[in-house]
Amino acid sequence: MGIILSVRILQRFIKVINNKIMRNQTLSVEQMMHLKELGVDTSKASMCWLHLNLLDEEWVLAVNDRHASGADVELIPAFTLQDIIEVLPKEIKTSTDTYWLTMSHDSEEWYICYSMSDEFDYYKEFKSDSLLEAAYNMLCWCAENGYLETDKEE
């Protein structure tokens, strides 16, 4: 009886946090799995995707509990925009210049780039309707191009 009650309480809690707004605040399961393939350390993600094998339900979003485990629970870390910003290098140095992480928005879309100044001297730039999506693309690019320490063997 206690296990069933606990699962029901957990289900109610998850439904509260697992709404469309929160889903748009984190990377998807697929995006997080791609980051793991690139060797990105996802251990400090503030959210997680949770799959309760016992209930055979779809992935749901929850606050990351690094201590949750068990045969009936599968967890995949989920980065928020803040998590990504904390993982991205704040600057990239080349042999001649230093570029700083910059985010901006014009009338149509978000930009995230490494730039020398407020002018158009970008080292790398991504644009999207979603700042989270642009930041994810930048994180992938940084991992793929050696600007992040990864656990992937060279």
Side-chain angles (χ1 to χ4, degrees):
M1 180 73 170
I3 292 174
I4 293 172
L5 182 59
S6 297
V7 168
R8 287 187 180 149
I9 291 169
L10 181 60
Q11 282 180 309
R12 273 193 232 125
F13 172 74
I14 290 170
K15 285 180 182 175
V16 169
I17 200 168
N18 192 32
N19 57 49
K20 186 175 181 178
I21 293 171
M22 285 308 297
R23 283 180 178 261
N24 291 335
Q25 302 294 318
T26 66
L27 296 182
S28 68
V29 170
E30 294 77 18
Q31 288 171 316
M32 291 303 298
M33 292 177 84
H34 180 65
L35 290 176
K36 285 298 283 180
E37 289 170 5
L38 293 175
V40 175
D41 178 9
T42 60
S43 65
K44 293 186 180 173
S46 54
M47 303 291 288
C48 69
W49 288 103
L50 175 70
H51 185 257
L52 298 173
N53 299 327
L54 177 71
L55 302 173
D56 195 34
E57 299 217 359
E58 67 181 60
W59 289 95
V60 292
L61 194 59
V63 174
N64 196 356
D65 181 358
R66 291 166 183 82
H67 305 292
S69 63
D72 296 328
V73 178
E74 187 177 358
L75 297 174
I76 292 181
F79 278 157
T80 63
L81 177 60
Q82 181 65 37
D83 296 332
I84 295 172
I85 291 169
E86 289 176 10
V87 171
L88 282 169
K90 304 310 174 258
E91 64 182 27
I92 291 178
K93 293 183 179 189
T94 65
S95 60
T96 58
D97 296 304
T98 300
Y99 298 87
W100 290 274
L101 181 63
T102 307
M103 290 166 267
S104 63
H105 189 273
D106 65 13
S107 61
E108 296 179 16
E109 56 194 347
W110 286 98
Y111 296 78
I112 187 164
C113 63
Y114 284 94
S115 171
M116 286 178 55
S117 67
D118 294 338
E119 298 183 24
F120 299 103
D121 51 355
Y122 304 131
Y123 185 62
K124 186 63 181 175
E125 172 187 49
F126 289 96
K127 304 175 191 180
S128 177
D129 292 338
S130 161
L131 182 54
L132 180 64
E133 186 70 25
Y136 165 73
N137 290 331
M138 183 62 80
L139 184 58
C140 291
W141 179 83
C142 286
E144 291 163 352
N145 289 279
Y147 294 110
L148 285 180
E149 287 188 28
T150 65
D151 60 14
K152 194 169 184 141
E153 292 185 21
E154 303 281 321

